[in-house]
Amino acid sequence: MAYFRTEDHVDLYFEEEGKGKPVVLIHGWSASRKHFKKQINELAKHHRVIRYDLRGHGDSSRVEQGLTMAQFAKDLRDLITYLKLEDVSLVGWSMGTHIIWEYVKNYGCDNIESLCYIDMTPKLLTDEEWELGLFGDFQHEKNLWTLASIATDWKVHTQGFVPAMFAPTFDDPEMLQWCFEEAEKNTPHVMLAMWIAMALQDYREILPKISVPCLITYGAKSFYRKETSDYLQAQIPDATLVRFEQSGHAPQIEEAEKFNDTLLKFLGKVKAV
């Protein structure tokens, strides 16, 4: 088991496999590195693949401090430095995409070769001038109800959000049960703090400043609208958009073979500057 200790004494668990150009997999809210388990074998045939648990998640330290997007981005930068990674590609799923955007906001794209986003919006909350957040109508009041649900009974909350990650046609009871079990392992105060951290963000101004090739992936049956990913493609200078017809919010799980093939082809075309 490998751990990296941050400057504020938090132990982050990570694993690495394969050789070649480095690819770092960044999981989403309430998930862990294990939610990329269908990617490891294929990616590691061609790349040095690093996956880690965010602070407060998985096998990393369950913390009281540093539960912010800025700290999560710093953790990522420090892990890259610790492992001496060069020309690294970052793959972020859901909140993992927010961490990438926070990274670009704070540190730019130096030493980054490419980026891949999996089904995420640059602004979670909807309002009078933004309709491309969660569900298309996730305004302040609904966010408060979500926070109350997380704080009141985490296990009950998982019974709603875990199935919502997948397309209605998703038919893998074993995987669904595994996702329930993994979600229930989380610490409610961490989940609450990180949901607030996500809800505060608006990364729209960052998108045009991204100076490396980007792969945008999304599920046709996700709770994010098609127009959300169209918006990302329009705002990011060098962006490729791929739709996964049978997926909801987790195409790397729901259509793993297609996702792996898509990502590997994208990474193979990217040339370091």
Side-chain angles (χ1 to χ4, degrees), residues 11 33 36 67 81 153 199 226 256 259:
D11 291 324
R33 71 190 187 282
F36 287 111
L67 297 173
T81 301
D153 193 324
K226 169 186 178 296
F259 179 84

Side-chain angles (χ1 to χ4, degrees), residues 9-234:
H9 308 294
V10 174
D11 291 324
L12 301 183
Y13 180 82
F14 70 93
E15 296 176 348
E16 53 180 326
E17 297 182 44
K19 296 180 179 179
K21 287 189 176 181
V23 178
V24 178
L25 306 177
I26 310 164
H27 67 78
W29 180 81
S30 80
S32 75
R33 71 190 187 282
K34 297 177 183 178
H35 287 73
F36 287 111
K37 61 183 180 180
K38 292 188 175 184
Q39 279 61 65
I40 297 304
N41 288 342
E42 289 303 312
L43 289 182
K45 292 177 182 178
H46 308 277
H47 296 274
R48 179 184 177 189
V49 184
I50 297 95
R51 54 178 179 162
Y52 71 106
D53 291 333
L54 304 172
R55 64 170 59 202
H57 294 70
D59 290 316
S60 291
S61 298
R62 301 298 173 98
V63 295
E64 301 290 339
Q65 81 278 7
L67 297 173
T68 66
M69 285 299 165
Q71 182 61 57
F72 276 47
K74 185 177 187 303
D75 289 345
L76 173 59
R77 187 185 69 159
D78 291 348
L79 182 62
I80 290 172
T81 301
Y82 174 76
L83 294 175
K84 299 179 181 179
L85 304 181
E86 297 181 357
D87 297 326
V88 62
S89 292
L90 305 178
V91 179
W93 172 41
S94 193
M95 187 179 75
T97 294
H98 269 204
I99 294 169
I100 291 175
W101 287 331
E102 184 72 24
Y103 185 101
V104 173
K105 173 184 173 183
N106 295 333
Y107 309 114
C109 291
D110 290 347
N111 201 34
I112 301 300
E113 183 169 285
S114 67
L115 303 171
C116 173
Y117 314 130
I118 308 173
D119 206 63
M120 193 52 178
T121 176
K123 185 175 186 293
L124 194 69
L125 296 186
T126 57
D127 52 37
E128 293 180 353
E129 55 86 34
W130 177 250
E131 298 180 348
L132 300 179
L134 184 63
F135 300 115
D137 63 349
F138 195 68
Q139 297 184 354
H140 178 63
E141 184 174 356
K142 288 189 176 182
N143 186 50
L144 290 178
W145 280 110
T146 298
L147 294 172
S149 176
I150 295 169
T152 301
D153 193 324
W154 171 247
K155 185 173 182 178
V156 170
H157 186 79
T158 66
Q159 300 302 308
F161 89 79
V162 169
M165 290 197 307
F166 301 106
T169 53
F170 183 66
D171 186 21
D172 188 341
E174 185 176 342
M175 175 59 74
L176 191 61
Q177 181 60 34
W178 179 83
C179 287
F180 277 124
E181 293 169 359
E182 289 297 305
E184 290 173 7
K185 294 176 182 178
N186 284 290
T187 305
H189 84 269
V190 175
M191 299 300 100
L192 191 65
M194 290 316 301
W195 189 271
I196 293 171
M198 276 196 297
L200 289 171
Q201 305 307 318
D202 183 352
Y203 291 110
R204 288 177 290 177
E205 292 186 359
I206 301 301
L207 304 178
K209 301 175 183 178
I210 297 172
S211 58
V212 297
C214 297
L215 173 64
I216 302 164
T217 65
Y218 74 100
K221 301 176 182 180
S222 171
F223 40 58
Y224 291 117
R225 292 164 51 183
K226 169 186 178 296
E227 290 81 4
T228 305
S229 294
D230 290 340
Y231 174 85
L232 294 178
Q233 184 183 32

Side-chain angles (χ1 to χ4, degrees), residues 117 215-219 229 233 240-245 251 258-259 262 266:
Y117 314 130
L215 173 64
I216 302 164
T217 65
Y218 74 100
S229 294
Q233 184 183 32
T240 300
L241 180 63
V242 178
R243 173 184 171 106
F244 289 79
E245 297 293 342
K258 178 183 176 182
F259 179 84
T262 299
F266 169 74

